[in-house]
Amino acid sequence: MSAEEVSIVRVGAGSFATAYVWQSYNSVVLKKVAEPLQNDVLLREYNRLQALYPQVGNELLFKVPKAMEHFPSYSFFPAGFKDNKQSFVARIYLGKDCTEPKRFFNPLNFPLDANRLSQLEVGVPIAEIARDMGRLLSRIHFKAGFDGRDIEFVLGGHQSNPLRKIGFYCFDFNQLRTWKSAQDLVDSFLANDPYYPRPGHEYWDDFRTGYLLEAANGEKDTEIAEEVLSLLVSRLKQ
């Protein structure tokens, strides 16, 4: 296998697509759909990411990828490329306790709750992680106008260089929708994996502070943001 081929590293996969990092091309991320018929969905994600990226900024802890180009085929992969079947990201679940022992362990899909994050000593206070998670979600809602459905918040590093600084990322935008009401935003929040802290749990206040901070630029946005948080409290008490 050539150096070109081994420089493409698999970082995650789902039912829709697999993501790779092309290390020799300034760590460009490639997303390959599972089925060619899903290419239209990938194109829609590309277009929505193009619209979203300028609105969310790049100064927050979590980075959103910039969509560079859409390819309708897999022709850009080296001919001899073989999927290495490994992933090097971990999902940040501040809304779930993952410490209960399980019979099966999947190292390719490893969730990080607050307890595991604290043991990793990632160099960023968990309160800041929760706050910036709220800030980014709020920007997606009120600046970009999307509901944030099925987005992921992850921690990533580099398996060949453990000393390299780890990074916090937000990706997977293929299910984004525009929204019309606070209820739409609540439904998307609850449909996602438990990335966000829940009301009454540790770090909820930090998440809430970040979410409201980014909505404070407009009176209407602030009202909707407060309604979203209030509805979440009500729904999760049921």
Side-chain angles (χ1 to χ4, degrees), residues 33-196:
V33 293
E35 300 291 340
L37 291 176
Q38 295 175 311
N39 192 61
D40 287 345
V41 180
L42 184 64
L43 177 58
R44 184 169 68 244
E45 179 181 14
Y46 169 82
N47 290 331
R48 294 202 164 178
L49 187 52
Q50 287 274 54
L52 183 150
Y53 182 82
Q55 302 300 323
V56 299
N58 59 9
E59 82 281 7
L60 299 183
L61 180 65
F62 289 94
K63 305 305 179 187
V64 172
K66 181 179 181 180
M68 297 179 63
E69 194 165 352
H70 172 262
F71 297 92
S73 71
Y74 304 154
S75 58
F76 52 87
F77 276 85
F81 171 73
K82 294 182 180 179
D83 195 331
N84 59 20
K85 302 297 182 184
Q86 297 185 63
S87 299
F88 305 109
V89 297
R91 290 167 173 80
I92 300 175
Y93 284 170
L94 297 185
K96 180 180 181 180
D97 182 359
C98 305
T99 57
E100 293 183 7
K102 293 185 177 181
R103 184 176 179 182
F104 299 103
F105 170 73
N106 181 4
L108 306 185
N109 185 14
F110 188 71
L112 290 174
D113 61 4
N115 182 56
R116 287 174 174 173
L117 272 172
S118 64
Q119 294 181 51
L120 280 178
E121 298 181 354
V122 296
V124 180
I126 300 176
E128 182 179 342
I129 295 174
R131 185 170 59 251
D132 268 25
M133 193 179 283
R135 292 182 67 189
L136 179 55
L137 182 63
S138 186
R139 290 187 184 187
I140 292 172
H141 286 171
F142 302 111
K143 290 189 176 181
F146 296 117
D147 62 359
R149 181 174 291 268
D150 203 45
I151 60 175
E152 298 189 16
F153 292 84
V154 304
L155 179 68
H158 194 291
Q159 54 93 20
S160 65
N161 184 1
L163 298 180
R164 179 180 290 187
K165 184 179 179 181
I166 58 175
F168 295 84
Y169 304 94
C170 177
F171 51 59
D172 267 8
F173 303 99
N174 60 292
Q175 293 191 38
L176 287 185
R177 305 173 183 175
T178 56
W179 57 273
K180 296 181 180 179
S181 68
Q183 189 62 61
D184 292 339
L185 300 181
V186 170
D187 290 343
S188 293
F189 181 105
L190 296 175
N192 278 20
D193 283 355
Y195 298 102
Y196 317 116

Side-chain angles (χ1 to χ4, degrees), residues 1-9 78-84:
M1 185 175 289
S2 70
E4 190 74 86
E5 291 158 21
V6 298
S7 73
I8 300 178
V9 178
F81 171 73
K82 294 182 180 179
D83 195 331
N84 59 20

